[in-house]
Amino acid sequence: MSVREAPSRVRREEPPPHDLQAEESLLGAMLLSADAVASALELCGPGDFYKPGHGHVFAAIRALHGAGSPVDPVTVADQLRRDGLLEDIGGPSTLITMQAATPATSNARHYARIVADNAMLRRLAAAGTEIADLSFRGMDASEALAAAESRLQEVLGSSPRRRRRVGMPGGAFILDGPADVAALWGQDDEVLWASGEAMWVVGPTGVGKTTLAQQLTMGCIGLRHEVLGIPVASVAERVLYVAADRPAQARRSMRRMVDEQDREILDERLCVWSGPPPVDVLSDSGTLLRFARDHGADHLVLDSAKDIAAGLSDDMVGSKLNIAIQTALAAGVEVLVLHHQRKEQRGGGKPKALSDVYGSTWLVNGAGSVVLLWGEPGDAYVELSHLKQPAGVVGPLQVVHDHLTGTSTVEARPTAYSVLTASPRGISAPGLAMILSDSQERAAVARARRALEALVKQGKAHKEAGRRGGDGGADAALYFPVTRRSEGS
């Protein structure tokens, strides 16, 4: 065949990639849940829908959400009516049908990804046809190559992974979110890992940082309900565990925690990257987020920081890693990082402050919680302390590692509630501080007072003003178990 004998250009007759059920399920979820709206807006646009009417519904929801207005079939129908598009989608009943037929609002991100991926495939198909046509226009090769590259850049620019995020109305940001700390690991005022805030677990080698992180990972995917007796929220769509540091040991450690009956959940909700990530997470602020998204993950465990980025003592490196983590958090990816303390701290006593964590101050300044594990390598007993808290202070706790099962527990110790119930004559904040931490320093008393006030809010304690010749100040107040109050009434 000569150069001029070009083959005929085949035009596929089957419809381009699409999934109408995913489109309808996504829109139905958006009509039911504000969280679903947020997930969809992050990944999709009106032009990503194969059916034009579905794109109209999406655009109406986006307009209402952007204005801080409620989203439901009535408000969306009104918006479409004002836009002159209500009849084009089939009338108000179409919206009600979408809402009723939605399988699960918690799957909105999954539906959105299907819609976005199909839209990208359609754009690639269209671009491929146009690029193929360039070969038959008699263009110079370099000119055709430039045109082809420009067309591909247009497709890349339309990717949801590169789409600009739209700011949220101030009222929605401030007033519509939860008033309390949303805990991924914790409860009430004792939160170790808060949603939307990175948690760093630091400590020397061999004290169980990886064991703790893996137990939290199993909790996030639903294979454990608590770690150290503290509840873990099983809210992960998928966890990406980056076993960058000694992946073979990480595999053996995880193997202790599961068995064959867990395979289906492990395959569906956990993805493990063995070795350092294949991308430079410092190259731009969105690289870490894209790495997580490419694996369908909304939870990211980095084991450990030193294997993710080199030169952590450099403020520029620390700042870039912090920004990469904050970008992932802002997009809804929860982050857990393992790290270590300064080397000179070893043998010099337990770290007591964030300044004892190795590297640039920007690393832990951006963290919501910093947890310290301290002990000798291989010890069954280590101490957990809270160096930075999103809410109340947790610990210190005496943690016992069962190296056979990969399970960690807390050795029994007094709690604010157990002390309260054992104090029928009442307990003061300084008294509780002395029992819990063997100290009446200001910080210890303040922690004790917060714990007692939390029990009051929960209806477990009753507070009475001090009796030391006047009100005696906050430290003179006494707290009683609620049983005392009920018996006296």
Short mmCIF file of all heavy atoms in Angstrom, two decimals, residues 171 190 220 224 313 332 348 355 434 440-441 481:
data_model
loop_
_atom_site.label_atom_id
_atom_site.label_comp_id
_atom_site.label_asym_id
_atom_site.label_seq_id
_atom_site.Cartn_x
_atom_site.Cartn_y
_atom_site.Cartn_z
N GLY A 171 -21.55 31.58 55.05
CA GLY A 171 -22.54 31.05 55.97
C GLY A 171 -22.54 29.54 55.99
O GLY A 171 -22.64 28.91 57.05
N GLU A 190 -12.55 13.59 73.94
CA GLU A 190 -11.27 12.92 73.81
C GLU A 190 -11.11 12.41 72.37
O GLU A 190 -11.62 11.35 72.01
CB GLU A 190 -11.15 11.77 74.81
CG GLU A 190 -11.18 12.24 76.26
CD GLU A 190 -10.93 11.11 77.24
OE1 GLU A 190 -11.17 9.94 76.87
OE2 GLU A 190 -10.49 11.40 78.37
N CYS A 220 -10.85 1.81 60.08
CA CYS A 220 -11.44 2.67 59.07
C CYS A 220 -12.18 1.89 58.00
O CYS A 220 -13.13 2.39 57.39
CB CYS A 220 -10.36 3.55 58.42
SG CYS A 220 -9.70 4.85 59.49
N ARG A 224 -12.39 -3.39 62.57
CA ARG A 224 -12.28 -3.19 64.02
C ARG A 224 -13.19 -2.03 64.38
O ARG A 224 -13.34 -1.09 63.61
CB ARG A 224 -10.85 -2.88 64.45
CG ARG A 224 -9.88 -4.02 64.20
CD ARG A 224 -8.59 -3.86 64.95
NE ARG A 224 -7.73 -5.02 64.72
CZ ARG A 224 -6.70 -5.33 65.47
NH1 ARG A 224 -6.38 -4.58 66.51
NH2 ARG A 224 -5.96 -6.40 65.20
N SER A 313 14.12 18.42 57.40
CA SER A 313 14.57 19.50 58.29
C SER A 313 14.58 20.85 57.58
O SER A 313 14.65 21.89 58.23
CB SER A 313 15.97 19.19 58.83
OG SER A 313 16.90 19.07 57.76
N GLY A 332 -11.17 16.39 51.02
CA GLY A 332 -11.91 15.31 51.66
C GLY A 332 -11.13 14.04 51.90
O GLY A 332 -11.71 13.01 52.24
N GLY A 348 17.80 10.96 76.02
CA GLY A 348 17.75 12.23 76.75
C GLY A 348 16.41 12.49 77.37
O GLY A 348 16.09 13.62 77.71
N SER A 355 8.39 20.81 69.48
CA SER A 355 9.75 21.12 69.03
C SER A 355 10.66 19.90 69.10
O SER A 355 11.75 19.89 68.51
CB SER A 355 10.34 22.25 69.88
OG SER A 355 10.35 21.91 71.25
N MET A 434 -4.62 15.57 90.72
CA MET A 434 -3.63 14.85 91.52
C MET A 434 -3.78 13.34 91.34
O MET A 434 -2.79 12.61 91.25
CB MET A 434 -3.78 15.23 92.99
CG MET A 434 -2.77 14.55 93.90
SD MET A 434 -1.04 14.92 93.46
CE MET A 434 -0.95 16.64 93.98
N GLN A 440 -0.64 19.06 90.39
CA GLN A 440 -1.65 20.11 90.49
C GLN A 440 -1.17 21.37 89.80
O GLN A 440 -1.57 22.48 90.14
CB GLN A 440 -1.99 20.39 91.96
CG GLN A 440 -2.80 19.28 92.62
CD GLN A 440 -3.37 19.67 93.97
OE1 GLN A 440 -2.93 20.62 94.59
NE2 GLN A 440 -4.36 18.91 94.43
N GLU A 441 -0.32 21.18 88.80
CA GLU A 441 0.09 22.32 87.98
C GLU A 441 -1.11 22.82 87.20
O GLU A 441 -2.10 22.11 86.99
CB GLU A 441 1.21 21.91 87.02
CG GLU A 441 2.52 21.56 87.73
CD GLU A 441 3.61 21.19 86.77
OE1 GLU A 441 3.35 21.14 85.55
OE2 GLU A 441 4.74 20.95 87.23
N PRO A 481 -21.37 12.70 91.44
CA PRO A 481 -22.07 11.82 90.50
C PRO A 481 -23.56 12.10 90.54
O PRO A 481 -24.11 12.49 91.57
CB PRO A 481 -21.74 10.41 91.00
CG PRO A 481 -21.32 10.60 92.42
CD PRO A 481 -20.71 11.95 92.52
#
